[in-house]
Amino acid sequence: MSKKGLIVGILVVLVAGVAIWKVTSNNSSNDVANNVSEKSEASQGQDSKNGQANKSDQNDSDKANQDKQDSDNSSNNSSKNDENNSGGDNSAIVSNISGFTSENGGSSKSGKDNSSSSNNGNSKSDKNNNSSNKSNTMSLPYTIASTGMKVTNIGKYSGKFVENGSDKSVSNVLSIVVTNTSNKDLQYGEIKLKAGGKTATFKLTNIPSGKSVLALEANGMKYSSGAGYKYADATYALTNMPMNSNKVKVSTSDSKVTIKNTSGKDLGTVYVYYKNLDKSGAYLGGITYRVKFDNVKKGGTLSQNTKHFSKSNSKIVMVDTEK
């Protein structure tokens, strides 16, 4: 072979090799590009899946938070409803008050009170203060503005006359059921009603907030059916009755009341006030009974037998000390 032919052969081989390398290189580049593209698509797919998962988690979290909020709102509403439905003194069922017959069938008439008020005052008089009822006719329940006293029933009572402590037997005495709607205790209240030319007076003492009392007409006036009782006047004093549990420990047994001075000093005189309850849960009578203990020494224990206290149906409402 000539030298020229050899050179041509080598050039042909080199050109063919370059062509083969170029094709191989392109295929390899395409494979790498394809691999990168697939990886990118897979990554985007995973990110998309993660994004959906995160969105789902967020939705689940939002739903959980919403469910919790709904639950809390439901619980709060339920609690509020329970508070609203609990009322003040639900145990005082008029039809169960021994010896009392209400002129409106043993329960308050339905409908709105004649007036409403904020009861945070002290000792005041309220005379003809119900502007919404100009005639002052007793449409029950009848709220006496500003006093915390609401008359829920008017009727007659037969049994022991408790208002003066005599306990004499009486029949058909004019009586009213009064609830203390104030957020304070009713230390003293007096309600006057008119019937024709007569004035009926009811005196109430030491009625805890939210509690009811059956008050008898102070002078034993007889009930008159269809008399058309009208509100005339009222006096009241609101307070917070002390129990002084940090000074005096009170215990009871049958008709006996016992106190122990735990104050660490002499207390002089100590008064224990109590009221009697009807089986309905209402206080029987506006009267409050009092046991007096004199010369109560430091650490001393004193006892007294009482005429009206009974462990089964009496409730201590206030303990007062001189010091």
Side-chain angles (χ1 to χ4, degrees):
M1 180 180 289
S2 65
K3 185 177 180 179
K4 184 177 179 180
L6 180 61
I7 294 172
V8 170
I10 292 171
L11 289 173
V12 170
V13 172
L14 289 173
V15 169
V18 169
I20 293 170
W21 172 82
K22 192 171 183 180
V23 170
T24 304
S25 177
N26 287 339
N27 289 338
S28 177
S29 296
N30 287 338
D31 289 343
V32 171
N34 289 336
N35 287 338
V36 170
S37 176
E38 288 172 3
K39 183 177 181 181
S40 176
E41 288 174 0
S43 176
Q44 289 175 1
Q46 185 64 39
D47 289 345
S48 176
K49 188 179 290 185
N50 289 340
Q52 291 176 355
N54 290 339
K55 187 174 181 180
S56 176
D57 290 344
Q58 183 63 41
N59 289 338
D60 291 343
S61 177
D62 290 345
K63 186 175 185 303
N65 289 335
Q66 184 63 44
D67 290 343
K68 183 177 186 300
Q69 185 175 358
D70 291 342
S71 176
D72 290 343
N73 289 339
S74 176
S75 177
N76 289 337
N77 289 334
S78 176
S79 177
K80 186 175 290 186
N81 288 336
D82 289 343
E83 290 176 3
N84 290 337
N85 292 332
S86 65
D89 182 25
N90 294 330
S91 62
I93 303 172
V94 174
S95 59
N96 290 338
I97 297 179
S98 303
F100 177 70
T101 303
S102 174
E103 68 177 6
N104 56 340
S107 62
S108 301
K109 294 180 181 178
S110 61
K112 296 181 179 179
D113 290 355
N114 59 294
S115 65
S116 61
S117 60
S118 176
N119 305 309
N120 293 316
N122 294 313
S123 180
K124 296 181 181 178
S125 176
D126 180 89
K127 188 170 185 178
N128 299 333
N129 199 19
N130 295 277
S131 58
S132 61
N133 195 332
K134 295 180 180 180
S135 66
N136 295 323
T137 300
M138 300 292 287
S139 177
L140 303 176
Y142 192 91
T143 298
I144 304 173
S146 303
T147 68
M149 295 182 290
K150 179 168 70 175
V151 180
T152 61
N153 295 81
I154 299 175
K156 58 185 178 181
Y157 168 83
S158 296
K160 293 181 178 181
F161 189 76
V162 297
E163 302 297 5
N164 60 4
S166 67
D167 292 341
K168 67 178 181 179
S169 182
V170 295
S171 61
N172 302 327
V173 172
L174 175 62
S175 306
I176 60 176
V177 176
V178 181
T179 299
N180 175 12
T181 62
S182 169
N183 58 8
K184 292 186 176 182
D185 303 320
L186 182 67
Q187 185 178 37
Y188 178 80
E190 185 175 294
I191 299 173
K192 291 185 178 181
L193 306 182
K194 287 282 189 180
K198 296 182 179 180
T199 299
T201 301
F202 303 88
K203 297 181 179 181
L204 305 94
T205 57
N206 303 104
I207 311 300
S209 173
K211 297 301 182 180
S212 297
V213 58
L214 174 66
L216 316 184
E217 203 284 325
N219 300 305
M221 180 187 295
K222 297 291 186 179
Y223 168 78
S224 178
S225 178
Y229 295 102
K230 297 180 180 181
Y231 169 76
D233 193 11
T235 303
Y236 71 104
L238 296 173
T239 187
N240 290 314
M241 296 185 294
M243 294 302 291
N244 281 302
S245 55
N246 61 330
K247 295 181 180 180
V248 178
K249 181 180 179 181
V250 182
S251 58
T252 61
S253 175
D254 298 329
S255 62
K256 181 184 291 186
V257 177
T258 300
I259 66 167
K260 181 176 181 179
N261 181 355
T262 59
S263 69
K265 61 181 181 180
D266 295 343
L267 291 177
T269 302
V270 174
Y271 298 96
V272 177
Y273 295 81
Y274 67 93
K275 298 184 73 69
N276 285 339
L277 292 164
D278 178 76
K279 65 181 181 181
S280 67
Y283 288 107
L284 180 58
I287 188 173
T288 299
Y289 303 100
R290 187 181 75 177
V291 186
K292 181 181 179 182
F293 297 89
D294 288 315
N295 196 25
V296 182
K297 296 294 186 180
K298 171 183 173 181
T301 299
L302 298 173
S303 297
Q304 281 199 42
N305 287 310
T306 67
K307 180 179 179 181
H308 296 98
F309 186 89
S310 169
K311 189 174 180 64
S312 60
N313 68 342
S314 297
K315 184 174 180 62
I316 295 170
V317 294
M318 183 169 69
V319 178
D320 202 6
T321 66
E322 281 189 348
K323 299 178 182 180

